[in-house]
């Protein structure tokens, strides 16, 4: 078993990747090197994370040292909300390529189905959610850009050889259906929040039916959201008795059980960590298997609990009501 998902293009997406969201810029270069040594080949990045330049230093180092070849790496990045107009898509990608110090991406995703007014690269990069953060009462500035316009520009990136695969984040089945019906190149990947408290069984089944690979971000649930006040310590799935019981049975940590569940249900997962010991722990998922009963028990923890919801955090943090899932 090669632990990869075959995309519609024929390319193979490693099921386990390293999420770079919230990794401190001064940690990125060394973390990339450590991750490659552990065995990671899949790195999930984004303009909005504000650390692509530092990740690029790490990528350049491992490639120059011949630690790994470029074709053995899988590098994902994401188009930010302010660059949805067709004329801004390629320049946004080019900035990401320059920062990451690579000639092409394996995967480029539309980060959110939210189009915001363009912010010039020289004015603010990454631009975040406000056109003018220094305004007395800053708010998000929406832009009326159809997804079809953005997607057509994404398709041109594939045609030009700058991107091998394209996809979307934070889309539901209705938007996916519309995109499938209007696109020349179907989305290869959907990346969404998914963990035992947010199983999204119908969405996963739809993606598998349509041959769209499914990547789960925040695969451990609440852990990424404590410091952002979107979750409390009591929200963690890792203290669920069933998880602890299964972990004891297999001689694994609770986190390894939850991550293995994600792998075994046929998704890619991109847990984030800045710690070497966690890199090693999170990578050790392929020497054991959960039973069908254990898989069902973990899926049975579903609460439809979403921690990363623009319908909540945009109003709280950016003074703008912006639901996308309802």
């Amino acid at each position: 078993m090669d632990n990869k998902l075959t995309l519609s293009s024929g390319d193979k997406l490693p099921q386990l990747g390293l999420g770079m969201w919230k990794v401190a810029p001064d940690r990125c270069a060394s973390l990339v090197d450590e991750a490659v040594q552990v065995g990671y080949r899949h790195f999930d990045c984004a303009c909005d994370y504000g650390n692509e330049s530092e990740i690029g230093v790490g990528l350049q180092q491992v490639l120059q040292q011949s630690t790994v070849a470029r074709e053995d790496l899988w590098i994902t990045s994401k188009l930010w909300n302010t660059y949805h107009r067709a004329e801004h898509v390629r320049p946004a990608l080019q900035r990401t390529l320059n920062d990451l110090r690579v000639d092409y991406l394996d995967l480029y995703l539309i980060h959110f189905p939210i189009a915001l007014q363009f912010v010039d690269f020289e004015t603010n990069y990454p631009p975040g959610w406000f056109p003018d953060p220094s305004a007395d009462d800053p708010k998000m500035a929406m832009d009326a850009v159809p997804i079809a316009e953005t997607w057509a520009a994404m398709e041109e990136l594939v045609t030009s050889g700058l991107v091998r695969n394209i996809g979307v984040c934070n889309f539901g089945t209705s938007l996916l259906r519309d995109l499938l019906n209007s696109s020349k190149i179907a989305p290869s990947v959907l990346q969404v929040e998914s963990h035992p408290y947010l199983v999204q069984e119908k969405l996963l089944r739809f993606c598998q039916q349509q041959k769209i690979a499914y990547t789960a971000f925040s695969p451990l649930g609440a852990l990424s959201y404590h410091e952002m006040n979107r979750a409390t310590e009591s929200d963690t799935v890792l203290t669920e008795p069933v998880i602890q019981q299964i972990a004891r049975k297999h001689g694994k940590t609770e986190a390894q059980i939850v991550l293995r569940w994600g792998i075994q249900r046929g998704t890619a997962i991109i847990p984030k960590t800045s710690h070497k010991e966690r890199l090693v722990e999170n990578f050790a998922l392929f020497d054991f298997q959960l039973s069908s009963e254990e898989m069902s028990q973990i899926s049975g923890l579903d609460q439809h609990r979403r921690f990363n919801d623009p319908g909540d955090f945009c109003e709280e943090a950016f003074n703008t009501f912006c639901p996308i899932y309802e």
Side-chain angles (χ1 to χ4, degrees), residues 83-101:
Y83 306 131
H84 277 212
R85 288 201 170 273
E87 63 266 28
H88 301 141
V89 171
R90 183 162 179 160
L93 169 70
Q94 197 60 61
R95 174 62 187 260
T96 278
L97 291 175
N98 293 344
D99 284 348
L100 291 174
R101 306 188 184 198

Side-chain angles (χ1 to χ4, degrees), residues 25 52 59-60 73 103 107 121 151 156 162 189 234 313 319:
E52 287 195 323
L59 291 172
Q60 184 179 56
L73 293 176
D103 296 327
L107 177 63
F121 297 95
W151 190 255
E156 291 179 9
L162 295 173
V189 176
S234 63
F313 71 74
N319 306 316

Side-chain angles (χ1 to χ4, degrees), residues 14 29 36 70 78 105 123 161 169 186 212 239 244 261 291 298:
V36 167
R70 172 65 186 93
K78 306 177 188 77
L105 292 180
T123 301
C169 301
I212 300 171
T239 59
Q244 296 179 333
W261 170 84
S291 68
I298 297 171

Side-chain angles (χ1 to χ4, degrees), residues 244 246-257 284-288:
Q244 296 179 333
I246 295 171
R248 286 193 298 271
K249 177 182 174 183
H250 288 274
K252 295 289 184 178
T253 67
E254 289 81 4
Q256 287 172 320
I257 295 302
L285 304 177
F286 303 105
D287 60 350
F288 73 105

Side-chain angles (χ1 to χ4, degrees), residues 86-136:
E87 63 266 28
H88 301 141
V89 171
R90 183 162 179 160
L93 169 70
Q94 197 60 61
R95 174 62 187 260
T96 278
L97 291 175
N98 293 344
D99 284 348
L100 291 174
R101 306 188 184 198
V102 294
D103 296 327
Y104 69 92
L105 292 180
D106 298 276
L107 177 63
Y108 200 37
L109 304 170
I110 297 176
H111 205 147
F112 283 99
I114 299 172
L116 299 179
Q117 289 180 15
F118 175 67
V119 175
D120 190 88
F121 297 95
E122 302 303 318
T123 301
N124 196 21
Y125 189 89
W129 295 82
F130 293 137
D132 181 9
S134 63
D136 291 338

Side-chain angles (χ1 to χ4, degrees), residues 1-307:
M1 181 178 178
D2 62 2
N3 304 312
K4 294 179 179 179
L5 302 178
T6 301
L7 307 188
S8 53
S9 65
D11 287 348
K12 294 182 180 294
L13 169 68
Q15 275 191 275
L16 179 61
L18 179 60
M20 302 303 292
W21 180 44
K22 298 199 304 177
V23 176
D26 61 1
R27 180 69 175 102
C28 287
S30 58
L31 184 65
V32 168
D33 181 61
E34 291 170 10
V36 167
Q37 291 182 38
V38 170
Y40 289 82
R41 297 295 181 264
H42 174 183
F43 294 90
D44 185 81
C45 315
C47 153
D48 187 55
Y49 300 167
N51 56 11
E52 287 195 323
S53 181
E54 292 79 8
I55 294 168
V57 172
L59 291 172
Q60 184 179 56
Q61 288 173 350
V62 298
L63 291 171
Q64 287 180 342
Q65 294 163 3
S66 299
T67 308
V68 67
R70 172 65 186 93
E71 57 268 25
D72 295 326
L73 293 176
W74 185 281
I75 302 173
T76 296
S77 188
K78 306 177 188 77
L79 178 79
W80 186 238
N81 305 339
T82 51
Y83 306 131
H84 277 212
R85 288 201 170 273
E87 63 266 28
H88 301 141
V89 171
R90 183 162 179 160
L93 169 70
Q94 197 60 61
R95 174 62 187 260
T96 278
L97 291 175
N98 293 344
D99 284 348
L100 291 174
R101 306 188 184 198
V102 294
D103 296 327
Y104 69 92
L105 292 180
D106 298 276
L107 177 63
Y108 200 37
L109 304 170
I110 297 176
H111 205 147
F112 283 99
I114 299 172
L116 299 179
Q117 289 180 15
F118 175 67
V119 175
D120 190 88
F121 297 95
E122 302 303 318
T123 301
N124 196 21
Y125 189 89
W129 295 82
F130 293 137
D132 181 9
S134 63
D136 291 338
D137 185 24
K139 288 184 172 61
M140 292 162 54
M142 312 304 290
D143 198 6
V145 185
I147 290 169
E149 176 182 331
T150 308
W151 190 255
M154 298 276 285
E155 291 174 327
E156 291 179 9
L157 302 178
V158 177
T159 304
S160 66
L162 295 173
V163 172
R164 291 183 60 88
N165 299 276
I166 50 177
V168 293
C169 301
N170 303 298
F171 276 45
T173 54
S174 293
L175 285 179
L176 283 173
R177 284 182 187 278
D178 189 59
L179 188 54
L180 287 165
N181 290 339
S182 63
S183 60
K184 295 177 182 176
I185 301 175
S188 292
V189 176
L190 170 69
Q191 185 178 126
V192 291
E193 180 183 349
S194 199
H195 43 75
Y197 284 165
L198 186 66
V199 174
Q200 304 217 70
E201 192 63 46
K202 290 180 181 178
L203 181 58
L204 174 58
R205 183 179 171 186
F206 178 78
C207 286
Q208 291 172 335
Q209 180 187 72
Q210 298 297 324
K211 296 181 170 50
I212 300 171
Y214 181 111
T215 297
F217 72 76
S218 301
L220 293 171
L223 293 181
S224 297
Y225 302 98
H226 291 160
E227 65 194 59
M228 306 166 74
N229 295 318
R230 294 190 213 160
T232 66
E233 296 290 338
S234 63
D235 290 321
T236 177
V237 70
L238 302 184
T239 59
E240 290 282 353
V242 67
I243 299 294
Q244 296 179 333
Q245 178 185 354
I246 295 171
R248 286 193 298 271
K249 177 182 174 183
H250 288 274
K252 295 289 184 178
T253 67
E254 289 81 4
Q256 287 172 320
I257 295 302
V258 172
L259 295 177
R260 177 66 201 183
W261 170 84
I263 291 285
Q264 208 166 304
R265 69 196 295 248
T267 74
I269 57 172
I270 46 172
K272 170 260 178 184
T273 185
S274 297
H275 304 289
K276 177 68 176 291
E277 63 273 17
R278 289 278 184 257
L279 282 176
V280 174
E281 177 185 328
N282 291 349
F283 197 78
L285 304 177
F286 303 105
D287 60 350
F288 73 105
Q289 193 156 11
L290 301 173
S291 68
S292 298
E293 181 182 0
E294 289 168 336
M295 290 291 292
S296 296
Q297 287 175 321
I298 297 171
S299 296
L301 296 172
D302 193 11
Q303 300 176 1
H304 308 289
R305 176 73 189 278
R306 195 184 302 276
F307 296 103

